[in-house]
Amino acid sequence: LRMLYGCRKKFQKQPLRRQYFKDRKDDAKHLLDTCKVLLKLDGVSGFASVVQDKITKQRYLLRTISKTRIAVELHLLESRLEALKELNTPHVVRLMDWGEDYWNVYFSYEARNCSPLPLVVAEACSAGWSLSEPWASMLMRQLLRALAYCHSHNITHGDLTTSSIRLLLMPDPLVRPWALLAETGLGEMIREEEHCTAPATTED
């Protein structure tokens, strides 16, 4: 009886019907069945792979997150992810689709030829490149423009670090940088022990 009460207490705030889980499971199965894995990536939170659509041949970044790490209630998850799909701006990596099954949630992002900002800068500096003020200014303008766009749609990044900033590798990012915000909005939905939950402030 105590176990049943605990189960009811855990799930009673999620007014979902059986059909909801069936539909979303079908979506996840379709997402996985129509793609071919080209490359598995290391060093990415959760599991991530570069996949290719078997019909259109278009490439995507498919990220898999266990439901045990989802920090929002399931009946709120769909509306948030559908809002993220509506973001369409040049400096944000776009969420193309998503799906779920009993264990995981799957995020399908557009595949861009890019690399994390710290990695690009570190490799360039080790080769003798020096960071210039015009370069940094151009990068910051792009990032602020992307953040302003997201905030105008009532979406915050949730975990903005240098590792969540990507640079397109073509054209040369050291000549004219093109910044991309990756995994926008997921920081608030995924449990990460290393996330900072305190608001950012400046010291007096």
Side-chain angles (χ1 to χ4, degrees):
L1 183 61
R2 183 180 301 174
M3 184 178 65
L4 292 175
Y5 176 77
C7 291
R8 194 185 83 171
K9 183 178 180 181
K10 181 177 180 180
F11 294 107
Q12 66 183 353
K13 294 182 179 180
Q14 303 176 10
L16 304 178
R17 300 295 181 264
R18 182 178 180 181
Q19 186 63 32
Y20 171 87
F21 294 100
K22 180 182 182 302
D23 292 343
R24 299 313 308 180
K25 183 177 180 179
D26 291 344
D27 289 345
K29 186 176 186 301
H30 174 76
L31 196 65
L32 298 174
D33 288 348
T34 57
C35 293
K36 177 177 67 174
V37 176
L38 300 179
L39 177 67
K40 293 185 178 181
L41 303 178
D42 296 325
V44 180
S45 180
F47 299 99
S49 304
V50 176
V51 300
Q52 185 178 52
D53 190 288
K54 294 178 181 178
I55 299 175
T56 66
K57 305 303 181 181
Q58 188 169 356
R59 296 187 177 189
Y60 301 95
L61 175 66
L62 184 65
R63 183 176 175 188
T64 304
I65 301 294
S66 170
K67 282 191 173 180
T68 59
R69 295 176 54 200
I70 300 298
V72 299
E73 296 180 10
L74 290 180
H75 69 281
L76 299 176
L77 182 66
E78 181 174 16
S79 60
R80 292 196 182 188
L81 291 176
E82 289 300 321
L84 290 178
K85 284 175 60 177
E86 296 300 318
L87 295 181
N88 187 10
T89 184
H91 295 289
V92 174
V93 179
R94 189 175 183 187
L95 177 65
M96 306 302 294
D97 202 359
W98 71 281
E100 67 169 312
D101 55 24
Y102 187 81
W103 298 276
N104 302 308
V105 181
Y106 304 91
F107 305 91
S108 175
Y109 291 95
E110 61 177 341
R112 306 292 293 271
N113 184 23
C114 58
S115 188
L117 172 64
L119 181 61
V120 174
V121 172
E123 290 181 349
C125 289
S126 65
W129 179 76
S130 58
L131 180 65
S132 67
E133 184 176 339
W135 188 91
S137 176
M138 187 181 302
L139 182 73
M140 287 303 300
R141 282 199 301 269
Q142 295 172 1
L143 292 174
L144 291 174
R145 192 176 298 123
L147 288 172
Y149 173 85
C150 294
H151 293 175
S152 69
H153 288 74
N154 297 318
I155 292 175
T156 60
H157 188 281
D159 186 32
L160 184 57
T161 65
T162 54
S163 297
S164 58
I165 300 171
R166 307 284 196 268
L167 287 180
L168 281 183
L169 299 180
M170 293 293 290
D172 190 347
L174 304 182
V175 176
R176 186 176 182 84
W178 188 275
L180 295 167
L181 285 180
E183 301 178 352
T184 302
L186 291 190
E188 296 180 327
M189 291 185 279
I190 299 175
R191 292 188 183 91
E192 296 278 10
E193 293 181 358
E194 63 270 20
H195 281 174
C196 176
T197 57
T201 60
T202 55
E203 296 182 359
D204 294 334

